Amino acid sequence: MKAGVIGLGAMGVPMARYVHAKGVLTAVGNRTQAKADALASELEVRAARSAANFADCDVVILCVSLDADVLENVAALAEVLKPGAIVVDHSTVSIETARRAAAMLAAHNIGFLDAPVSGGVEGARNGKLSIMVGGDEAQLERVHDIIGSYAARITHMGITGAGQATKAINQILVAGINEAVCEGLALGEKLGLEPERLLPTLMAGAASNWFLEKRGATMLRDEFAPGFKCLHMLKDLRIVQGIARDSGIRTNTIDQAVADYFELIERGFGESDTSALIALKRARATVESDAA
Ligand code: NAP
């Protein structure tokens, strides 16, 4: 097997390193060419300048930013990959984008798996991501060992789009947990509770969660290096909002989170980690107490 990775950001670089450790990484590509050149030279693989540089790959892994980025790459790969090759997309995009990508590739007898991930940059670096997959199970079998190099769990969720549908649920939970943790810790500061005592106490009980464990201490120090950017969170939540409204469920959590990340981005936190949400919670507490 020969594999390529496109999208060398916070998630894509560690993924590429695991695929390389497996001995199958052939080419890496990225919108900003310098990143591909640097990683390719370090790992002694090909730095792709166009889709044509992935033509000999059996598997191409995508982890890019937006729906348009996935579709642009898929359109180019459809023209060059050989029949039987498989594109695996780890980006978080809409169910509709997954279906369009699969159809574009199927027209050339190329496979497609929508395979969004959860576990954050730590999960990617430690090779412990949860991968939720939509598409043909036989195709998943063929790439299982490669994507398994950076996964704690791979779950086949159903037909094309089922991976992105699962990720939408994941993001509702993530957004709601972030709201609660940031609000709780902002209040903890106001009440003068010491982080060294508060955080382990919360982590030992029913309130423990990934976000509190990984981001609690850093957010209290005003450190918001991504991580998971607010811009990407808003992108995800807008996708989720559409799905949820179409499904007719109440969307209070999603709507609040959309409003909050929109405001954070307006305040210049777009490239910051989602834990920057605590800045908004603190500001609100100040505004409300001033008004009182
Ligand atoms: P990131 O750090 O912003 O990296 C995205 C990378 O993709 C950048 O290197 C970017 O290139 C490249 N890229 C964007 N559009 C491209 C295109 N059209 N062609 C080639 N390369 C392109 O983002 P990330 O945090 O790794 O996230 C990537 C995806 O995974 C997103 O869909 C995100 O929602 C999802 N995700 C992220 C996390 C997380 O915790 N970070 C967790 C789960 C899922 P440039 O260098 O030019 O910017």
Side-chain angles (χ1 to χ4, degrees):
M1 291 283 257
K2 287 186 177 178
V5 175
I6 301 178
L8 302 175
M11 302 296 282
V13 166
M15 288 172 178
R17 289 188 191 285
Y18 278 105
V19 176
H20 182 252
K22 201 100 196 114
V24 294
L25 186 67
T26 303
V28 291
N30 191 63
R31 181 174 53 194
T32 302
Q33 186 64 37
K35 285 193 200 169
D37 291 344
L39 190 67
S41 127
E42 181 198 324
L43 301 180
E44 298 183 347
V45 298
R46 190 186 307 144
R49 306 208 151 259
S50 73
N53 294 128
F54 294 95
D56 59 342
C57 288
D58 306 286
V59 182
V60 178
I61 293 162
L62 294 178
C63 194
V64 294
S65 309
L66 310 176
D67 293 59
D69 300 313
V70 171
L71 292 173
E72 172 193 314
N73 277 283
V74 162
L77 290 168
E79 299 300 324
V80 296
L81 293 183
K82 53 198 176 194
I86 299 173
V87 175
V88 180
D89 180 29
H90 291 313
S91 325
T92 305
V93 294
S94 68
I95 296 170
E96 180 53 28
T97 291
R99 290 184 184 143
R100 281 177 65 189
M104 284 157 81
L105 291 163
H108 298 262
N109 289 319
I110 301 163
F112 177 81
L113 297 167
D114 56 298
V117 298
S118 183
V121 289
E122 290 85 351
R125 285 186 200 130
N126 300 333
K128 299 276 183 230
L129 292 170
S130 176
I131 310 184
M132 38 209 96
V133 187
D136 180 62
E137 208 164 0
Q139 287 177 18
L140 175 57
E141 248 342 279
R142 287 187 45 218
V143 303
H144 197 282
D145 276 3
I146 295 178
I147 66 174
S149 65
Y150 44 81
R153 182 186 173 96
I154 300 174
T155 315
H156 183 244
M157 298 302 302
I159 59 170
T160 298
Q164 294 297 351
T166 309
K167 177 74 185 189
I169 314 305
N170 189 82
Q171 293 311 79
I172 298 178
L173 271 65
V174 163
I177 291 165
N178 290 12
E179 289 286 330
V181 171
C182 291
E183 208 163 297
L185 294 191
L187 181 60
E189 286 177 331
K190 300 276 173 202
L191 299 179
L193 295 170
E194 290 173 28
E196 298 73 23
R197 296 182 196 216
L198 178 62
L199 296 178
T201 304
L202 296 173
M203 279 306 298
S208 81
N209 63 78
W210 184 100
F211 186 64
L212 180 65
E213 183 194 347
K214 308 283 192 221
R215 303 284 181 264
T218 48
M219 77 170 80
L220 289 173
R221 294 197 299 266
D222 281 339
E223 293 171 16
F224 306 128
F228 184 48
K229 295 173 187 171
C230 291
L231 272 167
H232 283 167
M233 179 65 120
L234 184 61
K235 175 254 304 176
D236 292 5
L237 290 170
R238 284 188 165 139
I239 293 169
V240 174
Q241 202 172 37
I243 298 171
R245 283 185 179 161
D246 290 349
S247 308
I249 67 158
R250 274 199 204 191
T251 56
N252 316 37
T253 302
I254 306 166
D255 296 346
Q256 182 61 55
V258 165
D260 283 346
Y261 290 103
F262 182 80
E263 189 178 339
L264 273 171
I265 291 163
E266 293 244 292
R267 290 182 184 215
F269 287 104
E271 295 290 325
S272 301
D273 185 74
T274 53
S275 51
L277 179 58
I278 194 169
L280 214 61
K281 302 286 184 184
R282 286 169 179 150
R284 279 200 183 142
T286 310
V287 169
E288 277 159 18
S289 64
D290 287 348

